[in-house]
Amino acid sequence: GQGVDEPLSATGFRQADAAGLFLRNVKFTHVFSSDLLRAKQTAATILGKNKFCKDLEIKYDARLRERKYGVAEGRPLTDLKAMAKAAGEQCPSFTPSGGETLDEVRERARDFFEFLCRLAVELEQKEQDMRGAASRSSGTSEEPLVFPWMNHCSEAELSFYNGGASKTLDANILVVSHGAYMRNWVGYFVSDLNCTLPTNLTKSQLSSVSPNTGVSHFIVKLDNRNLLKPEITCVCLNQDSHL
């Protein structure tokens, strides 16, 4: 949760190192992280191993914090499940006293995602203003972007890439957050924004919590800068081949 702000364990640092090596050739234009210590350390470790983005500023945002679990924080998962059972409910829909509801978590995710969309639109406008004066010189170069998880994509997903979707992006953003929060964010993408999912993704995979340092990749298109109707494609969800 939020109240227990512990650092990464030794295992956590090994997982962050593995994620950093996995992502070392990915050119990020922006990095955002939860302001909780374990996420901060994960983001810093990933950037520390990146060939292109070692000096990129990490921006910390409280909207990316893990779901708040109130009286259940710092206690075993079995305690949370027992609380839910006593209340006649089930995890994860159960909200402990002092915790956040799933709707409240989703609202945080929605607010942050809309912020990212506005950021992308502003970048695109700046690119238009600069066009003709000089070629792109930042991470938004015309070079094809490298995504290591493409080696694990299905044929349908690869055809999406080969169609040119990954040739250029106005922004290529790394977001480091937490398991329960990200599961709610994915739920928001799917139920509210009609995100296109990989064809081989099962319902259980869709509802599962990402493993530590699991990688999910979404391509977001904002046609005519329409923030209200983004076109979202999930390329991979909770990819853990680096672990």
Side-chain angles (χ1 to χ4, degrees):
Q2 299 181 8
V4 182
D5 195 14
E6 291 288 321
L8 290 176
S9 64
T11 299
F13 275 113
R14 286 196 296 272
Q15 292 170 332
D17 281 340
L21 289 172
F22 185 61
L23 300 171
R24 65 187 180 278
N25 293 316
V26 181
K27 296 181 181 180
F28 296 109
T29 58
H30 302 77
V31 179
F32 293 93
S33 169
S34 157
D35 61 352
L36 296 178
L37 182 57
R38 57 194 185 273
K40 286 182 174 181
Q41 291 175 326
T42 301
T45 301
I46 290 173
L47 280 198
K49 295 187 177 300
N50 195 280
K51 291 183 178 180
F52 308 102
C53 313
K54 290 183 187 294
D55 299 323
L56 197 60
E57 179 187 3
I58 303 173
K59 297 184 178 179
Y60 304 110
D61 199 306
R63 289 174 293 185
L64 293 173
R65 287 181 181 181
E66 180 60 290
R67 181 184 180 189
K68 185 178 181 182
Y69 282 96
V71 297
E73 292 194 348
R75 298 169 66 174
L77 179 59
T78 51
D79 285 6
L80 176 63
K81 291 181 177 179
M83 292 178 193
K85 185 176 181 180
E89 299 182 40
Q90 290 184 330
C91 296
S93 57
F94 170 68
T95 302
S97 176
E100 280 184 296
T101 66
L102 294 182
D103 285 343
E104 288 171 334
V105 177
R106 185 167 295 198
E107 179 61 23
R108 277 201 285 128
R110 182 195 64 77
D111 188 53
F112 184 76
F113 176 65
E114 290 181 355
F115 156 75
L116 290 185
C117 289
R118 290 193 296 271
L119 173 67
V121 168
E122 290 169 4
L123 286 170
E124 198 262 347
Q125 182 61 57
K126 288 179 181 178
E127 285 292 335
Q128 284 189 349
D129 293 342
M130 294 170 61
R131 211 161 282 158
S135 61
R136 294 182 177 183
S137 58
S138 65
T140 57
S141 69
E142 297 293 345
E143 300 173 13
L145 291 164
V146 176
F147 297 119
W149 46 89
M150 286 177 63
N151 296 329
H152 307 276
C153 287
S154 68
E155 289 186 13
E157 292 154 5
L158 284 174
S159 67
F160 177 83
Y161 273 111
N162 294 335
S166 65
K167 291 298 192 298
T168 58
L169 296 173
D170 289 306
N172 190 29
I173 304 171
L174 172 65
V175 177
V176 180
S177 185
H178 308 268
Y181 175 88
M182 290 188 291
R183 177 169 59 184
N184 279 272
W185 193 347
V186 173
Y188 161 64
F189 275 3
V190 173
S191 63
D192 292 28
L193 300 179
N194 298 315
C195 174
T196 301
L197 297 171
T199 54
N200 59 349
L201 193 70
T202 66
K203 287 187 177 180
S204 62
Q205 289 173 319
L206 181 61
S207 61
S208 65
V209 174
S210 173
N212 290 340
T213 70
V215 175
S216 297
H217 183 201
F218 298 89
I219 293 179
V220 181
K221 294 182 182 179
L222 298 168
D223 289 338
N224 299 319
R225 303 177 192 166
N226 189 342
L227 300 179
L228 298 179
K229 292 184 178 181
E231 179 186 333
I232 306 174
T233 300
C234 175
V235 178
C236 68
L237 188 70
N238 302 338
Q239 171 65 244
D240 63 353
S241 61
H242 55 286
L243 296 178

